[in-house]
Amino acid sequence: MHPMTTTLTIGLLIPLLGTMLGSAFVFFMKNEMSVQLQKSLLGFASGVMVAASVWSLLIPAMEMEADSGKWSVMPAAIGFLLGMGFLLLIDELTPHLHIGTDKPEGMRSHLSKTAMLALAVTIHNLPEGMAVGIVFAGADSGTTNISLASAVAVSLGIAIQNVPEGAIISMPMRAAGNSRWKSFLIGSLSGAVEPVGAVAVLLLASMLMPMMPYMLAFAAGAMFYVVVEELIPEASEGQHSNLSTIGFAIGFVLMMVLDVVMG
């Protein structure tokens, strides 16, 4: 197999493996995840996503347009706002239920609580999959400042933050009365949308190449939406919010170091 193909395959699968590893917590933890741990992990995931958006998506988007002078920021600005708007639209239309609440969001439906919880995570994971696909497409094209190592760093960073995300899904599923295996399967499948989203972007890469700065920023905007709309509010409400702040700092610095060292 061609080295690029091997790296690409591994890069697409690493985030899914992170979700599966986190979902496997359901086999080792007897009780529901503690509030302190959940808040720490939500903060950590937020830090990773924000750092990945800035260093791996927004900065390369602006660097691609460096010849445009002071207007080099415009594709990044437009793409970012479109990404935020796209996720807002999906959030409004898709029936879903967030962990810790009993009030569904999105359009009215007759879906089960389990299905709506899974849809909430799917909304989160879609922009992450798109981000992985876009950075690998950028690295493969040779027209961006994104190296293959930097693309792998993004994939690895998202996989790291998928570990807590998988656990945060599977543990409540178990607490709601599902079997350990069913909870693990639902948690794992919630991450399946990531490689699907990444492959879809890669298949369209040749057509999207002239739009690459916009697409990089679009993925950043979509990831920021998830952080600002869902992760940070869930991490900050109630007690122990300082743990989520510490988790954010650790996640942000880890992703920043990963991207710079590997990039």
Side-chain angles (χ1 to χ4, degrees):
M1 190 178 288
H2 190 275
M4 176 61 192
T5 307
T6 305
T7 307
L8 179 58
T9 304
I10 293 170
L12 294 181
L13 291 178
I14 286 174
L16 177 58
L17 292 174
T19 306
M20 293 177 70
L21 180 61
S23 300
F25 280 25
V26 78
F27 295 114
F28 310 110
M29 297 174 71
K30 291 183 179 180
N31 303 315
E32 192 172 348
M33 188 183 294
S34 70
V35 174
Q36 292 95 322
L37 180 58
Q38 187 165 323
K39 286 185 176 295
S40 300
L41 295 178
L42 283 167
F44 178 85
S46 301
V48 169
M49 289 179 72
V50 168
S53 298
V54 173
W55 264 266
S56 305
L57 298 169
L58 287 174
I59 291 175
M62 288 184 277
E63 287 175 343
M64 285 186 74
E65 296 292 308
D67 294 340
S68 304
K70 61 184 178 180
W71 296 107
S72 62
V73 73
M74 291 311 295
I78 293 168
F80 185 88
L81 292 174
L82 287 174
M84 292 280 280
F86 177 69
L87 258 287
L88 176 62
L89 183 64
I90 288 181
D91 211 23
E92 289 292 322
L93 296 178
T94 308
H96 60 282
L97 183 67
H98 297 292
I99 295 165
T101 66
D102 293 314
K103 186 179 179 182
E105 294 183 10
M107 296 178 69
R108 292 172 62 90
S109 74
H110 300 290
L111 294 172
S112 68
K113 182 177 179 180
T114 299
M116 286 196 287
L117 277 169
L119 277 172
V121 184
T122 301
I123 293 171
H124 288 191
N125 287 345
L126 180 62
E128 295 167 18
M130 289 171 57
V132 171
I134 289 165
V135 291
F136 270 98
D140 189 40
S141 71
T143 61
T144 70
N145 290 331
I146 303 170
S147 67
L148 192 55
S150 184
V152 172
V154 174
S155 183
L156 188 59
I158 289 174
I160 291 168
Q161 74 94 28
N162 278 355
V163 174
E165 203 165 73
I168 288 167
I169 289 301
S170 64
M171 295 300 291
M173 294 287 181
R174 173 62 178 160
N178 294 296
S179 69
R180 292 185 191 277
W181 274 106
K182 185 177 180 181
S183 302
F184 167 73
L185 191 61
I186 293 170
S188 298
L189 286 175
S190 68
V193 70
E194 290 190 22
V196 172
V199 169
V201 169
L202 282 166
L203 290 175
L204 295 170
S206 58
M207 289 187 290
L208 295 174
M209 206 50 65
M211 303 291 291
M212 183 58 72
Y214 294 92
M215 292 301 297
L216 287 165
F218 181 93
M223 286 172 69
F224 256 90
Y225 179 88
V226 171
V227 171
V228 175
E229 171 70 12
E230 309 294 351
L231 299 184
I232 289 179
E234 286 176 23
S236 300
E237 65 181 4
Q239 295 181 320
H240 309 297
S241 60
N242 57 327
L243 293 174
S244 66
T245 305
I246 295 167
F248 181 95
I250 294 170
F252 186 93
V253 170
L254 176 64
M255 186 63 226
M256 178 176 67
V257 170
L258 261 180
D259 186 79
V260 174
V261 171
M262 293 182 68

